[in-house]
Amino acid sequence: IGAGSSGTIIANRLTENPEWKVLLLEAGEEDSVITEIPVICDEFQLTGYNWGYSMEKEPNQCLGLKDQRCPWPRGKVLGGTSTINYMIYTRGQRRDYDEWAEMGNPGWSYDDVLPLFMKMERNLIPEYQNSKYHNNNGTLSVERVPHKSPLMDAFLEAGQMKGYSVIDYNNPDENSQGFSRIQANMHGGRRINGANAFLRPIRKRPNLHIALKSRVTRVLIDPETMTAKAVEMTRNRQWRVVRARKEVILSAGAINSPHILMHSGIGPADHLAQVGYKALKDLKVGYNMMEHVASAGLTFFINESLTITLDGVSTPNAFFSYMRGQGPITVPGGVEGLAYIHTKMNDDAYGRPDMEFIFAGAAICSDAGATIRKGMGITDESYYSQFDRGHQCNAFTIWPMILSPKSRGRILLRDNNPFHWPIMKHDYFESEHDLLTCIEGLKLAVELAESPAFARFNATLNPRPVRGCENVTFRSDAYYECLLRHITTTLHHQSGTCKMGPATDPDAVVDPELRVHGVRNLRVVDASIIPRLPRAHTNAVAYMIGEKAAELIKKAWPSQSPPAPGPLPSPYSGPYYRWRLPGEPLPVSGASWTI
Ligand SMILES: Cc1cc2nc3c(=O)[nH]c(=O)nc-3n(C[C@H](O)[C@H](O)[C@H](O)COP(=O)(O)OP(=O)(O)OC[C@H]3O[C@@H](n4cnc5c(N)ncnc54)[C@H](O)[C@@H]3O)c2cc1C
């Protein structure tokens, strides 16, 4: 269920066995050549390719955003969120995964997962061709963004002046701190999403059927045997039930996987009772929501036309360069560089960085407020208090992103209608440590932008304060706190809501083989199983989870021929794929909702 980052790679790997049939159900439609264009990646958040979620209003964050709610975009399209993301390819630190293993998850240490990251990779970066940490035989392309602005060189230089070297941040032998150009999931300057990497190359396999615009509402679990037997879905406004001979694999992402599980009767019994469901299995589904909070609130103006602007990418020259795989259109949302650094708040016993800088040779005003800031939810009032109407600024930005958040959020059901949005709660600054780390990150980012490396561009922090922070001393800690609470942004690394852990872990939803505790033939395979966020963006991690799951499933079903389908209670019987009969009660398990 779900043709996103994890779902696409599992479908690929499982259909390597011609004896196995895979039906990949995806709520969204097909991706297109437009979604391959890197520079407009943030625009897709304003389209139907996005589920369009926003989290609940919190009193002390997202104050400068529409309805005071932070948007939580998720891809609703073939390729899932890999089709609308920024394409940044990072894996995280060795110790991040060793911790997963130490949390009771054998098989998930760095040494275990590194071969999985490498198996899928087609690394096209010349200087990494002889690295033992990269591979060029997979189908997930990784390349340098073909276009590099002089500002990117200044960013690397500024880092070197501060004592940081230029690193391959996916090489664990190199210093865990340092600066770099981004490694991105693209090929010839175009996006490579899960569909391009893992589905299109195998589109002729007869044992893979992809059903688009197919929205799953529940997994049907036989309460007697606690076995997942089928899924209930709608397609073309018709209800259907699809039987699974072997397994149901839930890869609907960190918001929708817990949502579907809870509507299937798997979740916290007390919460399910609140919406009228009797829990089939009492598990902490929806807890442990993690996110990498950041802020897009720093804009540095420069005195030359070197940055990416809307006009700059709308010229015939820019278009023809893009057709040759070059030029500013190939830069994902303007993002060119990353840095991993330590703030004075860092309390990591293993010396890992606690802050990432995301450097963009563009800023929220580069398109005069047309789309970038709308994707972030920034209101007109907030935006125009800082920027002039109609002005496309020459500016760059540095986003400080916290790497190891302590605050946790939660996904809950709003009611017993599976078409209604879940309740998404997260107080990003619940932990004061997270807040203070973000403040330190903002200060260090300003220091970097005002270092001699950027002096030749006369880089100047936007002197207009963020709306709502006018009465706080500009550049003080209190100002940065105010900025964070108003222009609250995240990197959309929502994860952890179906936490992986052993049966002894009271918070675990799936075991280390990704099987839902206490339910047979049901796995969750996506970013929701992440027990603790690695110091990485989560797309490559989601692919790796899919790769791992495929290995586990292959081991679990060694026989080449599929077993005969087991007996099904009457509502589940029928052909592999069938129309729902009029008036037929929903074959729900543990649920009382009817249509
Ligand atoms: C704007 C943005 C930028 C990002 N940038 C980066 C980046 O640069 N680098 C990076 O590493 N990470 C990035 N991320 C995060 C990363 O892309 C995600 O963590 C990752 O794609 C999650 O993969 P997944 O398989 O867990 O879920 P998804 O890729 O979201 O897949 C879930 C799929 O399930 C489908 N689905 C959901 N519910 C149903 C249902 N009921 N029935 C049928 N199908 C359903 C969805 O439509 C979707 O296709 C970004 C995220 C966003 C939103």
Side-chain angles (χ1 to χ4, degrees), residues 112-146:
D112 293 313
V113 301
L114 176 64
L116 306 173
F117 278 116
M118 289 180 57
K119 181 179 170 192
M120 70 186 88
E121 181 185 18
R122 179 190 289 172
N123 198 299
L124 303 165
I125 300 172
E127 60 267 36
Y128 300 159
Q129 291 310 301
N130 296 322
S131 164
K132 64 177 180 179
Y133 295 107
H134 292 288
N135 171 37
N136 57 16
N137 291 325
T139 52
L140 179 71
S141 299
V142 179
E143 68 178 15
R144 286 261 185 259
V145 175

mmCIF file of all heavy atoms in Angstrom, residues 112-146:
data_model
loop_
_atom_site.group_PDB
_atom_site.id
_atom_site.type_symbol
_atom_site.label_atom_id
_atom_site.label_comp_id
_atom_site.label_asym_id
_atom_site.label_seq_id
_atom_site.Cartn_x
_atom_site.Cartn_y
_atom_site.Cartn_z
ATOM 1 N N ASP A 112 25.177 -3.407 8.819
ATOM 2 C CA ASP A 112 24.087 -4.151 8.169
ATOM 3 C C ASP A 112 23.427 -3.329 7.058
ATOM 4 O O ASP A 112 23.047 -3.868 6.025
ATOM 5 C CB ASP A 112 22.997 -4.521 9.192
ATOM 6 C CG ASP A 112 23.475 -5.516 10.217
ATOM 7 O OD1 ASP A 112 24.092 -6.514 9.812
ATOM 8 O OD2 ASP A 112 23.234 -5.304 11.429
ATOM 9 N N VAL A 113 23.235 -2.018 7.320
ATOM 10 C CA VAL A 113 22.434 -1.241 6.353
ATOM 11 C C VAL A 113 23.276 -0.609 5.244
ATOM 12 O O VAL A 113 22.733 -0.290 4.185
ATOM 13 C CB VAL A 113 21.566 -0.154 7.056
ATOM 14 C CG1 VAL A 113 20.621 -0.785 8.057
ATOM 15 C CG2 VAL A 113 22.407 0.943 7.706
ATOM 16 N N LEU A 114 24.590 -0.465 5.480
ATOM 17 C CA LEU A 114 25.417 0.163 4.443
ATOM 18 C C LEU A 114 25.312 -0.565 3.095
ATOM 19 O O LEU A 114 25.124 0.064 2.047
ATOM 20 C CB LEU A 114 26.878 0.257 4.908
ATOM 21 C CG LEU A 114 27.838 0.807 3.868
ATOM 22 C CD1 LEU A 114 27.518 2.254 3.507
ATOM 23 C CD2 LEU A 114 29.285 0.698 4.357
ATOM 24 N N PRO A 115 25.400 -1.928 3.080
ATOM 25 C CA PRO A 115 25.278 -2.605 1.771
ATOM 26 C C PRO A 115 23.928 -2.335 1.103
ATOM 27 O O PRO A 115 23.836 -2.353 -0.134
ATOM 28 C CB PRO A 115 25.408 -4.093 2.132
ATOM 29 C CG PRO A 115 26.026 -4.129 3.484
ATOM 30 C CD PRO A 115 25.660 -2.868 4.186
ATOM 31 N N LEU A 116 22.900 -2.088 1.906
ATOM 32 C CA LEU A 116 21.576 -1.822 1.321
ATOM 33 C C LEU A 116 21.564 -0.443 0.654
ATOM 34 O O LEU A 116 21.044 -0.273 -0.443
ATOM 35 C CB LEU A 116 20.488 -1.887 2.403
ATOM 36 C CG LEU A 116 20.456 -3.166 3.232
ATOM 37 C CD1 LEU A 116 19.462 -3.033 4.379
ATOM 38 C CD2 LEU A 116 20.061 -4.347 2.350
ATOM 39 N N PHE A 117 22.140 0.566 1.350
ATOM 40 C CA PHE A 117 22.248 1.892 0.748
ATOM 41 C C PHE A 117 23.023 1.787 -0.570
ATOM 42 O O PHE A 117 22.688 2.423 -1.569
ATOM 43 C CB PHE A 117 23.008 2.850 1.675
ATOM 44 C CG PHE A 117 22.180 3.468 2.776
ATOM 45 C CD1 PHE A 117 22.449 3.214 4.122
ATOM 46 C CD2 PHE A 117 21.140 4.336 2.482
ATOM 47 C CE1 PHE A 117 21.708 3.808 5.138
ATOM 48 C CE2 PHE A 117 20.385 4.934 3.486
ATOM 49 C CZ PHE A 117 20.673 4.671 4.811
ATOM 50 N N MET A 118 24.091 0.985 -0.528
ATOM 51 C CA MET A 118 24.975 0.935 -1.700
ATOM 52 C C MET A 118 24.360 0.144 -2.853
ATOM 53 O O MET A 118 24.565 0.487 -4.015
ATOM 54 C CB MET A 118 26.324 0.359 -1.312
ATOM 55 C CG MET A 118 27.105 1.362 -0.458
ATOM 56 S SD MET A 118 28.701 0.778 0.054
ATOM 57 C CE MET A 118 29.499 0.414 -1.496
ATOM 58 N N LYS A 119 23.590 -0.883 -2.526
ATOM 59 C CA LYS A 119 23.030 -1.738 -3.582
ATOM 60 C C LYS A 119 22.190 -0.935 -4.573
ATOM 61 O O LYS A 119 22.241 -1.134 -5.779
ATOM 62 C CB LYS A 119 22.179 -2.829 -2.930
ATOM 63 C CG LYS A 119 21.568 -3.793 -3.908
ATOM 64 C CD LYS A 119 20.754 -4.855 -3.206
ATOM 65 C CE LYS A 119 19.960 -5.664 -4.235
ATOM 66 N NZ LYS A 119 18.943 -6.506 -3.620
ATOM 67 N N MET A 120 21.404 0.001 -4.057
ATOM 68 C CA MET A 120 20.474 0.731 -4.934
ATOM 69 C C MET A 120 21.149 1.909 -5.654
ATOM 70 O O MET A 120 20.614 2.458 -6.599
ATOM 71 C CB MET A 120 19.297 1.251 -4.101
ATOM 72 C CG MET A 120 19.669 2.360 -3.145
ATOM 73 S SD MET A 120 18.311 2.853 -2.060
ATOM 74 C CE MET A 120 18.497 1.715 -0.686
ATOM 75 N N GLU A 121 22.344 2.297 -5.202
ATOM 76 C CA GLU A 121 22.942 3.567 -5.631
ATOM 77 C C GLU A 121 23.624 3.485 -7.006
ATOM 78 O O GLU A 121 24.317 2.526 -7.303
ATOM 79 C CB GLU A 121 23.980 3.977 -4.573
ATOM 80 C CG GLU A 121 24.668 5.294 -4.868
ATOM 81 C CD GLU A 121 25.776 5.606 -3.843
ATOM 82 O OE1 GLU A 121 26.221 4.675 -3.137
ATOM 83 O OE2 GLU A 121 26.198 6.764 -3.788
ATOM 84 N N ARG A 122 23.372 4.509 -7.797
ATOM 85 C CA ARG A 122 24.176 4.690 -9.018
ATOM 86 C C ARG A 122 24.862 6.040 -8.877
ATOM 87 O O ARG A 122 24.323 7.075 -9.265
ATOM 88 C CB ARG A 122 23.313 4.681 -10.262
ATOM 89 C CG ARG A 122 24.146 4.906 -11.532
ATOM 90 C CD ARG A 122 23.288 5.129 -12.737
ATOM 91 N NE ARG A 122 22.618 3.909 -13.158
ATOM 92 C CZ ARG A 122 21.691 3.850 -14.102
ATOM 93 N NH1 ARG A 122 21.315 4.938 -14.719
ATOM 94 N NH2 ARG A 122 21.116 2.713 -14.424
ATOM 95 N N ASN A 123 26.045 6.020 -8.298
ATOM 96 C CA ASN A 123 26.702 7.288 -7.998
ATOM 97 C C ASN A 123 27.468 7.784 -9.219
ATOM 98 O O ASN A 123 28.318 7.082 -9.766
ATOM 99 C CB ASN A 123 27.651 7.134 -6.796
ATOM 100 C CG ASN A 123 27.990 8.484 -6.219
ATOM 101 O OD1 ASN A 123 28.564 9.316 -6.899
ATOM 102 N ND2 ASN A 123 27.601 8.707 -4.983
ATOM 103 N N LEU A 124 27.142 8.984 -9.630
ATOM 104 C CA LEU A 124 27.719 9.549 -10.858
ATOM 105 C C LEU A 124 28.735 10.657 -10.560
ATOM 106 O O LEU A 124 29.165 11.363 -11.458
ATOM 107 C CB LEU A 124 26.592 10.115 -11.731
ATOM 108 C CG LEU A 124 25.491 9.106 -12.112
ATOM 109 C CD1 LEU A 124 24.257 9.804 -12.645
ATOM 110 C CD2 LEU A 124 26.027 8.112 -13.137
ATOM 111 N N ILE A 125 29.109 10.796 -9.286
ATOM 112 C CA ILE A 125 30.030 11.884 -8.923
ATOM 113 C C ILE A 125 31.464 11.405 -9.158
ATOM 114 O O ILE A 125 31.910 10.420 -8.549
ATOM 115 C CB ILE A 125 29.806 12.290 -7.444
ATOM 116 C CG1 ILE A 125 28.351 12.756 -7.259
ATOM 117 C CG2 ILE A 125 30.790 13.384 -7.022
ATOM 118 C CD1 ILE A 125 27.929 13.002 -5.834
ATOM 119 N N PRO A 126 32.189 12.068 -10.077
ATOM 120 C CA PRO A 126 33.501 11.527 -10.500
ATOM 121 C C PRO A 126 34.433 11.222 -9.331
ATOM 122 O O PRO A 126 35.052 10.151 -9.289
ATOM 123 C CB PRO A 126 34.059 12.632 -11.394
ATOM 124 C CG PRO A 126 32.860 13.386 -11.872
ATOM 125 C CD PRO A 126 31.833 13.294 -10.783
ATOM 126 N N GLU A 127 34.543 12.141 -8.365
ATOM 127 C CA GLU A 127 35.549 11.928 -7.312
ATOM 128 C C GLU A 127 35.201 10.793 -6.342
ATOM 129 O O GLU A 127 36.011 10.423 -5.510
ATOM 130 C CB GLU A 127 35.856 13.230 -6.561
ATOM 131 C CG GLU A 127 34.705 13.886 -5.849
ATOM 132 C CD GLU A 127 33.972 14.949 -6.681
ATOM 133 O OE1 GLU A 127 33.842 14.762 -7.915
ATOM 134 O OE2 GLU A 127 33.502 15.928 -6.106
ATOM 135 N N TYR A 128 33.965 10.257 -6.428
ATOM 136 C CA TYR A 128 33.607 9.159 -5.518
ATOM 137 C C TYR A 128 33.643 7.793 -6.207
ATOM 138 O O TYR A 128 33.219 6.790 -5.632
ATOM 139 C CB TYR A 128 32.199 9.371 -4.939
ATOM 140 C CG TYR A 128 32.022 10.651 -4.132
ATOM 141 C CD1 TYR A 128 30.761 11.184 -3.920
ATOM 142 C CD2 TYR A 128 33.108 11.323 -3.560
ATOM 143 C CE1 TYR A 128 30.584 12.362 -3.181
ATOM 144 C CE2 TYR A 128 32.945 12.492 -2.838
ATOM 145 C CZ TYR A 128 31.677 13.004 -2.654
ATOM 146 O OH TYR A 128 31.506 14.152 -1.930
ATOM 147 N N GLN A 129 34.109 7.765 -7.437
ATOM 148 C CA GLN A 129 34.011 6.501 -8.179
ATOM 149 C C GLN A 129 34.849 5.384 -7.555
ATOM 150 O O GLN A 129 34.524 4.209 -7.685
ATOM 151 C CB GLN A 129 34.396 6.705 -9.645
ATOM 152 C CG GLN A 129 33.370 7.544 -10.411
ATOM 153 C CD GLN A 129 31.923 7.064 -10.229
ATOM 154 O OE1 GLN A 129 31.603 5.926 -10.543
ATOM 155 N NE2 GLN A 129 31.053 7.915 -9.693
ATOM 156 N N ASN A 130 35.924 5.740 -6.843
ATOM 157 C CA ASN A 130 36.724 4.677 -6.225
ATOM 158 C C ASN A 130 36.461 4.530 -4.738
ATOM 159 O O ASN A 130 37.177 3.804 -4.046
ATOM 160 C CB ASN A 130 38.223 4.948 -6.460
ATOM 161 C CG ASN A 130 38.554 4.882 -7.924
ATOM 162 O OD1 ASN A 130 38.003 4.041 -8.636
ATOM 163 N ND2 ASN A 130 39.399 5.790 -8.397
ATOM 164 N N SER A 131 35.429 5.220 -4.254
ATOM 165 C CA SER A 131 35.145 5.148 -2.819
ATOM 166 C C SER A 131 34.510 3.807 -2.471
ATOM 167 O O SER A 131 33.620 3.325 -3.182
ATOM 168 C CB SER A 131 34.181 6.278 -2.436
ATOM 169 O OG SER A 131 33.626 6.018 -1.170
ATOM 170 N N LYS A 132 34.953 3.230 -1.352
ATOM 171 C CA LYS A 132 34.329 1.958 -0.955
ATOM 172 C C LYS A 132 32.949 2.178 -0.361
ATOM 173 O O LYS A 132 32.244 1.223 -0.029
ATOM 174 C CB LYS A 132 35.228 1.191 0.013
ATOM 175 C CG LYS A 132 35.480 1.861 1.337
ATOM 176 C CD LYS A 132 36.324 0.951 2.229
ATOM 177 C CE LYS A 132 36.563 1.643 3.549
ATOM 178 N NZ LYS A 132 37.298 1.003 4.529
ATOM 179 N N TYR A 133 32.531 3.426 -0.216
ATOM 180 C CA TYR A 133 31.196 3.713 0.330
ATOM 181 C C TYR A 133 30.196 4.113 -0.751
ATOM 182 O O TYR A 133 29.097 4.560 -0.446
ATOM 183 C CB TYR A 133 31.288 4.793 1.409
ATOM 184 C CG TYR A 133 32.072 4.301 2.608
ATOM 185 C CD1 TYR A 133 33.357 4.758 2.866
ATOM 186 C CD2 TYR A 133 31.523 3.328 3.446
ATOM 187 C CE1 TYR A 133 34.078 4.277 3.948
ATOM 188 C CE2 TYR A 133 32.236 2.837 4.521
ATOM 189 C CZ TYR A 133 33.511 3.319 4.771
ATOM 190 O OH TYR A 133 34.213 2.816 5.836
ATOM 191 N N HIS A 134 30.579 4.016 -2.004
ATOM 192 C CA HIS A 134 29.637 4.346 -3.071
ATOM 193 C C HIS A 134 29.659 3.250 -4.127
ATOM 194 O O HIS A 134 30.619 2.501 -4.253
ATOM 195 C CB HIS A 134 29.979 5.708 -3.695
ATOM 196 C CG HIS A 134 29.741 6.857 -2.752
ATOM 197 N ND1 HIS A 134 28.481 7.278 -2.415
ATOM 198 C CD2 HIS A 134 30.601 7.649 -2.061
ATOM 199 C CE1 HIS A 134 28.574 8.301 -1.558
ATOM 200 N NE2 HIS A 134 29.856 8.535 -1.321
ATOM 201 N N ASN A 135 28.573 3.195 -4.885
ATOM 202 C CA ASN A 135 28.419 2.169 -5.907
ATOM 203 C C ASN A 135 27.831 2.843 -7.138
ATOM 204 O O ASN A 135 27.112 3.837 -7.013
ATOM 205 C CB ASN A 135 27.439 1.110 -5.363
ATOM 206 C CG ASN A 135 27.041 0.105 -6.405
ATOM 207 O OD1 ASN A 135 27.859 -0.283 -7.246
ATOM 208 N ND2 ASN A 135 25.788 -0.317 -6.377
ATOM 209 N N ASN A 136 28.142 2.321 -8.305
ATOM 210 C CA ASN A 136 27.498 2.920 -9.479
ATOM 211 C C ASN A 136 26.737 1.916 -10.321
ATOM 212 O O ASN A 136 26.468 2.149 -11.489
ATOM 213 C CB ASN A 136 28.501 3.718 -10.323
ATOM 214 C CG ASN A 136 29.659 2.852 -10.748
ATOM 215 O OD1 ASN A 136 29.566 1.627 -10.676
ATOM 216 N ND2 ASN A 136 30.752 3.473 -11.177
ATOM 217 N N ASN A 137 26.313 0.809 -9.676
ATOM 218 C CA ASN A 137 25.585 -0.212 -10.433
ATOM 219 C C ASN A 137 24.092 -0.259 -10.147
ATOM 220 O O ASN A 137 23.381 -1.074 -10.707
ATOM 221 C CB ASN A 137 26.155 -1.605 -10.124
ATOM 222 C CG ASN A 137 27.534 -1.746 -10.697
ATOM 223 O OD1 ASN A 137 27.802 -1.200 -11.762
ATOM 224 N ND2 ASN A 137 28.410 -2.424 -9.981
ATOM 225 N N GLY A 138 23.619 0.577 -9.234
ATOM 226 C CA GLY A 138 22.195 0.539 -8.911
ATOM 227 C C GLY A 138 21.385 1.374 -9.882
ATOM 228 O O GLY A 138 21.867 1.767 -10.958
ATOM 229 N N THR A 139 20.150 1.673 -9.509
ATOM 230 C CA THR A 139 19.301 2.475 -10.409
ATOM 231 C C THR A 139 18.895 3.804 -9.783
ATOM 232 O O THR A 139 18.193 4.592 -10.407
ATOM 233 C CB THR A 139 18.027 1.702 -10.806
ATOM 234 O OG1 THR A 139 17.385 1.232 -9.613
ATOM 235 C CG2 THR A 139 18.327 0.539 -11.722
ATOM 236 N N LEU A 140 19.321 4.045 -8.545
ATOM 237 C CA LEU A 140 19.002 5.326 -7.899
ATOM 238 C C LEU A 140 20.180 6.283 -8.138
ATOM 239 O O LEU A 140 21.203 6.202 -7.446
ATOM 240 C CB LEU A 140 18.769 5.136 -6.395
ATOM 241 C CG LEU A 140 18.460 6.423 -5.641
ATOM 242 C CD1 LEU A 140 17.073 6.944 -5.997
ATOM 243 C CD2 LEU A 140 18.561 6.216 -4.129
ATOM 244 N N SER A 141 20.027 7.145 -9.108
ATOM 245 C CA SER A 141 21.151 8.012 -9.467
ATOM 246 C C SER A 141 21.422 9.048 -8.388
ATOM 247 O O SER A 141 20.495 9.580 -7.773
ATOM 248 C CB SER A 141 20.865 8.734 -10.778
ATOM 249 O OG SER A 141 20.692 7.799 -11.801
ATOM 250 N N VAL A 142 22.703 9.300 -8.186
ATOM 251 C CA VAL A 142 23.142 10.342 -7.253
ATOM 252 C C VAL A 142 24.178 11.163 -7.999
ATOM 253 O O VAL A 142 25.167 10.615 -8.487
ATOM 254 C CB VAL A 142 23.784 9.732 -5.991
ATOM 255 C CG1 VAL A 142 24.258 10.838 -5.046
ATOM 256 C CG2 VAL A 142 22.823 8.796 -5.267
ATOM 257 N N GLU A 143 23.929 12.446 -8.122
ATOM 258 C CA GLU A 143 24.930 13.274 -8.791
ATOM 259 C C GLU A 143 25.046 14.622 -8.094
ATOM 260 O O GLU A 143 24.240 14.964 -7.229
ATOM 261 C CB GLU A 143 24.605 13.436 -10.293
ATOM 262 C CG GLU A 143 23.371 14.238 -10.593
ATOM 263 C CD GLU A 143 23.110 14.415 -12.109
ATOM 264 O OE1 GLU A 143 23.702 13.708 -12.936
ATOM 265 O OE2 GLU A 143 22.273 15.275 -12.436
ATOM 266 N N ARG A 144 26.070 15.354 -8.460
ATOM 267 C CA ARG A 144 26.181 16.734 -8.018
ATOM 268 C C ARG A 144 25.170 17.545 -8.802
ATOM 269 O O ARG A 144 24.947 17.273 -9.993
ATOM 270 C CB ARG A 144 27.565 17.281 -8.363
ATOM 271 C CG ARG A 144 28.643 16.746 -7.493
ATOM 272 C CD ARG A 144 28.974 17.733 -6.391
ATOM 273 N NE ARG A 144 30.097 17.256 -5.636
ATOM 274 C CZ ARG A 144 30.008 16.652 -4.444
ATOM 275 N NH1 ARG A 144 28.844 16.481 -3.866
ATOM 276 N NH2 ARG A 144 31.096 16.240 -3.829
ATOM 277 N N VAL A 145 24.601 18.556 -8.157
ATOM 278 C CA VAL A 145 23.752 19.460 -8.913
ATOM 279 C C VAL A 145 24.634 20.076 -10.008
ATOM 280 O O VAL A 145 25.704 20.606 -9.713
ATOM 281 C CB VAL A 145 23.194 20.549 -7.985
ATOM 282 C CG1 VAL A 145 22.400 21.566 -8.768
ATOM 283 C CG2 VAL A 145 22.342 19.920 -6.888
ATOM 284 N N PRO A 146 24.213 19.976 -11.274
ATOM 285 C CA PRO A 146 25.113 20.414 -12.352
ATOM 286 C C PRO A 146 25.485 21.898 -12.289
ATOM 287 O O PRO A 146 26.555 22.278 -12.761
ATOM 288 C CB PRO A 146 24.298 20.124 -13.630
ATOM 289 C CG PRO A 146 23.301 19.095 -13.227
ATOM 290 C CD PRO A 146 23.001 19.329 -11.775
#
